[in-house]
Amino acid sequence: MAPYKRRGFFNIVFQLSITIGILCANLVNYVTPILMKNGQAWRVSLGGACVPAAFIFISALFLPNTPNSLLEKGQEQEAKAILKRIRGATQDHQIENEFQDLIKASDEAKQVEDPWRKLLRTRKYRPHLVMAVLIPALQQLTGINVVMFYAPVLFQSIGFKDDASLLSAVVTGIVNVLATFVSMYGTDKWGRRTLFLEGGLQMLIFQTLVAVFIGWKFGTTGIVNNLPSWYAVLVVLCICIFVAGFAWSWGPLGWLVPSEIFPLEIRSAAQSVVAAVNMLFTFAIAQLFLPMLCVLKFGLFIFFAFFVAVMTVFIYFFLPETKNIPIEEMSQIWRNHWFWKRYMTEEPSKPCIAIV
């Protein structure tokens, strides 16, 4: 629903909300053990999740449909009214051009009976399918959820006490929130590719440094005596810079770019693929992290740094810039791309055989 010139800003508000939620969760996890000394703090932390869940449920009851969804149901007047409302327009002619574009896109989408078949088998949607799978997969293979999920475990392993490790997790949460504001400001100004590439390079450098610093002091045994406090702070600083790089690049853009590249006729199916792949890799990495840490030690960060390098190269060669391009005109970027343009040619029609 966002105007295309500010689409990046509004979409990243979604990511900002996630980072604020992570920070709030870290604060709750830090404060509850201080307030509750009976070992039951984890129950409060876990049960507290029902508060945002209840808010989501109640607020969803008042959420209006989008113009696109109303047009799909044939409710043109209602769609126009919602479009006027979200654009702040008072007269129909102020949104007429955009509304006609939406009607045209909706009519084309209605011709597609099976969006899943279109997405998986139609040649011109091959770049969309590749992006729908690789962007969320590579987003998780940065190792960001290892840092965010297991920050206290990581910080304990480099010499922090229990309270200090939880406090360090709060620090990374604050960095995560603040860095997301950079993306909100820059994604429509500097472009998606610029942030993707800068963030990828920043994450690669500082994730490698974390591996070097941890490997230098701990080696493969994980045992160290009298670890200097300044050294532990240095590791935390590198982790924070890594988190910042993710927060203004792959964090928000991993959701923004897939949301804007899919045409209406395959959007529901493609967005489902994005969410499914993201959650699948989140689950897999969360389950495998601790066994991998035991086996790879500091090499685990090298493992994730390798994928950061891969995804940065992938973005450089295969992702076109989508800044300031209306969604209805997004197909043009694939036709102009050096690699994907070969998939955008019309598929040859099957020969018609006359039976006499």
Side-chain angles (χ1 to χ4, degrees):
M1 295 195 300
Y4 69 88
K5 290 185 177 180
R6 303 296 295 165
R7 188 172 61 236
F9 172 86
F10 284 110
N11 196 292
I12 292 173
V13 172
F14 164 79
Q15 178 68 15
L16 176 65
S17 300
I18 290 179
T19 61
I20 292 174
I22 293 171
L23 175 59
C24 291
N26 288 338
L27 287 171
V28 170
N29 292 337
Y30 175 67
V31 171
T32 48
I34 297 176
L35 299 179
M36 302 180 65
K37 301 296 185 180
N38 56 1
Q40 300 298 311
W42 68 272
R43 297 183 185 275
V44 177
S45 297
L46 188 62
C50 68
V51 176
F55 177 81
I56 291 172
F57 173 75
I58 295 172
S59 60
L61 299 177
F62 301 94
L63 185 68
N65 286 313
T66 65
N68 279 331
S69 64
L70 291 170
L71 285 174
E72 289 177 2
K73 299 175 183 178
Q75 302 174 10
E76 288 194 12
Q77 294 304 314
E78 291 83 352
K80 179 177 285 190
I82 289 292
L83 186 61
K84 287 174 61 178
R85 177 182 171 187
I86 62 178
R87 294 291 182 261
T90 57
Q91 302 294 328
D92 288 353
H93 68 85
Q94 294 175 290
I95 50 92
E96 190 61 31
N97 290 337
E98 182 180 4
F99 186 64
Q100 291 304 319
D101 287 341
L102 293 178
I103 290 178
K104 181 180 178 181
S106 179
D107 290 340
E108 292 176 356
K110 289 178 181 177
Q111 305 302 317
V112 181
E113 297 181 356
D114 190 345
W116 286 100
R117 179 183 294 272
K118 281 282 186 181
L119 175 63
L120 298 176
R121 297 189 179 184
T122 303
R123 179 180 173 84
K124 69 176 182 178
Y125 296 135
R126 203 59 45 81
H128 306 80
L129 179 60
V130 170
M131 298 299 168
V133 173
L134 287 186
I135 287 180
L138 292 172
Q139 183 193 54
Q140 296 308 310
L141 286 170
T142 60
I144 186 63
N145 277 336
V146 167
V147 175
M148 303 311 293
F149 289 170
Y150 295 102
V153 176
L154 290 174
F155 293 137
Q156 277 182 316
S157 69
I158 59 176
F160 286 81
K161 297 181 180 179
D162 290 349
D163 290 347
S165 66
L166 288 172
L167 180 60
S168 299
V170 172
V171 171
T172 59
I174 294 173
V175 171
N176 198 16
V177 172
L178 295 179
T180 303
F181 283 102
V182 176
S183 186
M184 291 177 65
Y185 170 79
T187 187
D188 290 317
K189 184 178 179 65
W190 304 321
R192 281 65 160 156
R193 277 173 52 86
T194 299
L195 286 176
F196 262 135
L197 295 174
E198 189 283 330
L201 183 61
Q202 180 175 326
M203 285 189 289
L204 177 61
I205 292 172
F206 285 92
Q207 197 166 42
T208 303
L209 286 176
V210 170
V212 171
F213 288 145
I214 294 179
W216 184 14
K217 285 294 184 180
F218 287 85
T220 57
T221 64
I223 300 174
V224 65
N225 295 318
N226 300 321
L227 181 69
S229 58
W230 66 264
Y231 197 88
V233 171
L234 182 62
V235 175
V236 173
L237 179 63
C238 289
I239 290 177
C240 286
I241 297 176
F242 165 81
V243 170
F246 177 86
W248 63 52
S249 63
W250 276 84
L253 298 181
W255 293 104
L256 169 61
V257 172
S259 74
E260 63 186 2
I261 63 175
F262 303 135
L264 190 59
E265 59 267 24
I266 62 165
R267 189 172 302 162
S268 60
Q271 283 291 78
S272 297
V273 172
V274 172
V277 171
N278 187 286
M279 297 305 166
L280 176 63
F281 274 80
T282 299
F283 169 78
I285 291 173
Q287 296 302 311
L288 295 175
F289 164 69
L290 291 178
M292 291 177 68
L293 181 62
C294 292
V295 174
L296 298 177
K297 307 297 190 299
F298 67 89
L300 181 62
F301 293 94
I302 300 296
F303 172 83
F304 287 118
F306 167 77
F307 285 103
V308 172
V310 169
M311 72 190 195
T312 303
V313 173
F314 169 75
I315 292 296
Y316 181 81
F317 285 106
F318 296 107
L319 182 68
E321 181 57 67
T322 58
K323 180 184 71 171
N324 292 341
I325 300 177
I327 291 178
E328 292 76 19
E329 301 174 11
M330 197 67 69
S331 60
Q332 192 62 36
I333 66 171
W334 308 110
R335 294 191 180 96
N336 296 332
H337 190 269
W338 69 273
F339 180 80
W340 298 119
K341 64 182 180 181
R342 69 189 68 183
Y343 293 97
M344 302 309 292
T345 56
E346 293 294 331
E347 295 184 1
S349 58
K350 295 181 180 179
C352 180
I353 302 176
I355 301 177
V356 179

